């Protein structure tokens, strides 16, 4: 099987789990921006500012966290389920942010690329360049989405809970995820508690997530 076909087949196999696992492929219409617009120009800051207004977030770091939480959910959910290093570097992405529908992301070419952490690192740096926010918080958001994806994969009967937890533990054995959190023993279910908080509780109608370290 060619790399092109392998990636398309992997994405097809997982897209039905739920909408976060549906990663589309190909160049979209002109309303979308290239992924490189995340790294240079005003688009990233404009988007973070729009998220702050939508969620009534007074602190820029809260809106930055929500952006990266959404960004990584849409990329890491299908990658985690497919268990394949699909190329999600900014140069192989298209994205747009809609005031009502939020963030959408798609890849340009169905090809393999570097590990997800390497692909996400430039976006982490770009966010920190426009908004002061801790790197541990951002990588915690990413790992939280991985753990959430593993939970859905188990519920879809694609992995056992033990297999999913092992996959997550392997990811957390190296930077930048090694301090992101821990998997908790719970029969038949993937249960994760992160070490940082995404700050969602600080928006007007927010609350604490199920894996939040602030939940007692």
């Amino acid at each position: 099987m060619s790399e092109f076909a392998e990636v398309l087949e992997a994405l097809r196999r997982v897209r039905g789990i739920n909408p976060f696992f549906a990663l589309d492929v190909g160049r979209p219409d002109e309303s979308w921006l290239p992924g490189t617009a995340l790294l240079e120009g005003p688009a990233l800051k404009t988007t973070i500012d729009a998220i702050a207004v939508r969620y009534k977030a007074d602190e820029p770091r809260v809106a930055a966290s929500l952006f990266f939480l959404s960004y990584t959910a849409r990329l890491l959910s299908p990658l985690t389920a497919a268990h394949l290093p699909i190329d999600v570097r900014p140069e192989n992405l298209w994205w747009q942010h809609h005031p009502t529908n939020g963030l959408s992301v798609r890849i340009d070419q169905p090809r393999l690329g570097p590990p997800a952490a390497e692909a996400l690192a430039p976006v982490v740096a770009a966010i920190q360049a426009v908004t002061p926010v801790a790197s541990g918080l951002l990588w915690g958001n990413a790992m939280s989405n991985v753990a959430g994806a593993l939970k859905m994969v188990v519920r879809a009967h694609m992995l056992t809970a033990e297999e999913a937890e092992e996959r997550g533990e392997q990811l957390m054995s190296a930077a930048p995820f090694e301090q992101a959190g821990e998997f908790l023993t719970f029969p038949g279910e993937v249960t994760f508690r992160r070490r940082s908080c995404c700050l969602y509780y600080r928006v007007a109608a927010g609350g604490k997530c199920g894996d939040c370290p602030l939940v007692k």
Side-chain angles (χ1 to χ4, degrees), residues 80-101:
T80 299
H83 199 42
L84 197 67
I86 297 168
D87 188 358
V88 294
R89 291 174 295 179
E91 54 264 37
N92 193 42
L93 292 182
W94 296 92
W95 68 287
Q96 65 173 351
H97 181 264
H98 189 276
T100 302
N101 299 328

Side-chain angles (χ1 to χ4, degrees), residues 52-67:
V53 171
R54 179 183 180 186
Y55 287 95
K56 300 179 181 178
D58 295 331
E59 301 170 80
R61 68 188 182 120
V62 175
S65 173
L66 294 180
F67 169 82

Side-chain angles (χ1 to χ4, degrees), residues 77-161:
S77 294
L79 265 65
T80 299
H83 199 42
L84 197 67
I86 297 168
D87 188 358
V88 294
R89 291 174 295 179
E91 54 264 37
N92 193 42
L93 292 182
W94 296 92
W95 68 287
Q96 65 173 351
H97 181 264
H98 189 276
T100 302
N101 299 328
L103 184 70
S104 298
V105 181
R106 60 190 293 148
I107 61 173
D108 187 50
Q109 298 294 325
R111 65 192 186 200
L112 301 179
E118 183 178 332
L120 294 173
V123 181
V124 169
I127 291 171
Q128 291 183 302
V130 300
T131 307
V133 58
S135 60
L137 182 155
L138 296 177
W139 288 115
N141 287 359
M143 190 62 214
S144 176
N145 280 320
V146 169
L150 290 171
K151 183 188 293 281
M152 293 299 102
V153 168
V154 170
R155 291 180 179 177
H157 305 293
M158 298 173 68
L159 289 176
T160 66

Side-chain angles (χ1 to χ4, degrees), residues 194-213:
R194 55 185 292 174
R195 291 196 175 97
S196 61
C197 174
C198 72
L199 305 177
Y200 181 64
Y201 78 98
R202 298 185 72 84
V203 305
K208 294 174 183 175
C209 307
D211 63 357
C212 181

